[in-house]
């Protein structure tokens, strides 16, 4: 009985050994973006502006840091919502994006995408201070996913955390 189990596990391990490289080689930035998400193009553009308002581009003398939109964090947020959250949460996000658009249009007579930075921050602050728990939850989720996407982006990991995929250095067997 144990021999059959060992043969079964060896067969599975051998199969996984041959399948894994072809599966992993399909991962790329293009493949992450190419699949359609649950948002429309207009909603995706609005999401990009929302995450860019949460983490904007900073330009200080001698140093410039890209914003969340520049790093593609909105695509990360959409992917996380599509893959890791239930349909009711996805619908709350869509409703939250509609609320952002409606608030901006009512307050400033222009879409959120065309509003100034101060106006955008005012809209998001109004949502954070709202008595509507759906708006508060939407904003909290957007902040959380934006920060997660930004801090785990390649730019931040390599430039701020000095992440090295394979730390150390390999010294082969070289005679001195």
């Amino acid at each position: 009985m144990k021999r059959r189990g060992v043969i079964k596990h060896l067969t599975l391990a051998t199969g996984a050994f041959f399948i894994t490289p072809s599966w992993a080689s399909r991962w790329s930035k293009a493949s992450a973006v190419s699949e359609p998400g649950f948002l429309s193009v207009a909603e995706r553009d609005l999401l990009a502006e929302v995450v860019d308002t949460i983490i904007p581009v900073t330009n200080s003398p001698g140093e410039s840091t890209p914003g969340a939109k520049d790093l593609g964090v909105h695509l990360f947020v959409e992917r996380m919502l599509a893959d890791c959250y239930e349909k009711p949460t996805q619908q709350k996000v869509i409703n939250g994006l509609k609320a952002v658009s409606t608030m901006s249009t009512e307050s400033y007579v222009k879409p959120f995408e065309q509003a100034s930075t101060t106006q955008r921050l005012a809209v998001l602050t109004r949502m954070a201070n709202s008595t509507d728990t759906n708006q508060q939850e939407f904003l909290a989720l957007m902040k959380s996913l934006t920060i997660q996407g930004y801090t785990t982006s390649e730019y931040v990991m390599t430039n701020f955390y000095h992440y090295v995929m394979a730390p150390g250095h390999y010294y082969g067997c070289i005679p001195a």
Side-chain angles (χ1 to χ4, degrees), residues 77-150:
V77 170
E78 184 179 2
R79 175 55 65 118
M80 285 291 290
L81 288 168
D83 290 349
C84 303
Y85 288 85
E86 301 291 329
K87 292 283 183 194
T89 305
Q90 294 174 3
Q91 190 59 45
K92 281 184 181 179
V93 168
I94 291 172
N95 293 340
L97 290 172
K98 288 177 184 171
V100 166
S101 180
T102 303
M103 277 187 190
S104 179
T105 305
E106 288 176 358
S107 301
Y108 304 108
V109 194
K110 57 174 104 171
F112 188 80
E113 296 91 339
Q114 296 174 2
S116 68
T117 304
T118 307
Q119 293 169 336
R120 290 179 181 190
L121 285 173
V123 168
L124 295 183
T125 302
R126 197 168 134 203
M127 289 187 83
N129 296 330
S130 171
T131 56
D132 186 359
T133 55
N134 288 331
Q135 291 182 2
Q136 292 175 347
E137 289 173 1
F138 163 76
L139 191 60
L141 181 62
M142 287 300 103
K143 284 181 180 179
S144 172
L145 289 175
T146 301
I147 291 169
Q148 181 183 1
Y150 193 82

Side-chain angles (χ1 to χ4, degrees), residues 2-162:
K2 288 185 179 181
R3 183 173 36 175
R4 288 184 182 179
V6 170
I7 291 172
K8 179 180 166 186
H9 289 294
L10 279 175
T11 304
L12 289 174
T14 305
F17 179 75
F18 288 111
I19 291 173
T20 302
S22 65
W23 170 71
S25 66
R26 293 187 198 148
W27 284 9
S28 67
K29 190 172 184 176
S31 69
V33 177
S34 64
E35 292 183 23
F38 67 99
L39 297 176
S40 67
V41 174
E43 291 168 341
R44 186 175 297 131
D45 292 342
L46 179 59
L47 177 64
E49 298 303 325
V50 169
V51 300
D52 202 48
T53 304
I54 293 171
I55 301 180
V57 174
T58 54
N59 291 320
S60 57
E63 187 176 343
S64 176
T65 306
K69 182 180 173 184
D70 297 334
L71 296 181
V73 172
H74 60 291
L75 300 173
F76 169 81
V77 170
E78 184 179 2
R79 175 55 65 118
M80 285 291 290
L81 288 168
D83 290 349
C84 303
Y85 288 85
E86 301 291 329
K87 292 283 183 194
T89 305
Q90 294 174 3
Q91 190 59 45
K92 281 184 181 179
V93 168
I94 291 172
N95 293 340
L97 290 172
K98 288 177 184 171
V100 166
S101 180
T102 303
M103 277 187 190
S104 179
T105 305
E106 288 176 358
S107 301
Y108 304 108
V109 194
K110 57 174 104 171
F112 188 80
E113 296 91 339
Q114 296 174 2
S116 68
T117 304
T118 307
Q119 293 169 336
R120 290 179 181 190
L121 285 173
V123 168
L124 295 183
T125 302
R126 197 168 134 203
M127 289 187 83
N129 296 330
S130 171
T131 56
D132 186 359
T133 55
N134 288 331
Q135 291 182 2
Q136 292 175 347
E137 289 173 1
F138 163 76
L139 191 60
L141 181 62
M142 287 300 103
K143 284 181 180 179
S144 172
L145 289 175
T146 301
I147 291 169
Q148 181 183 1
Y150 193 82
T151 56
T152 56
S153 68
E154 181 180 352
Y155 176 80
V156 171
M157 291 298 286
T158 55
N159 292 321
F160 294 103
Y161 294 144
H162 305 292

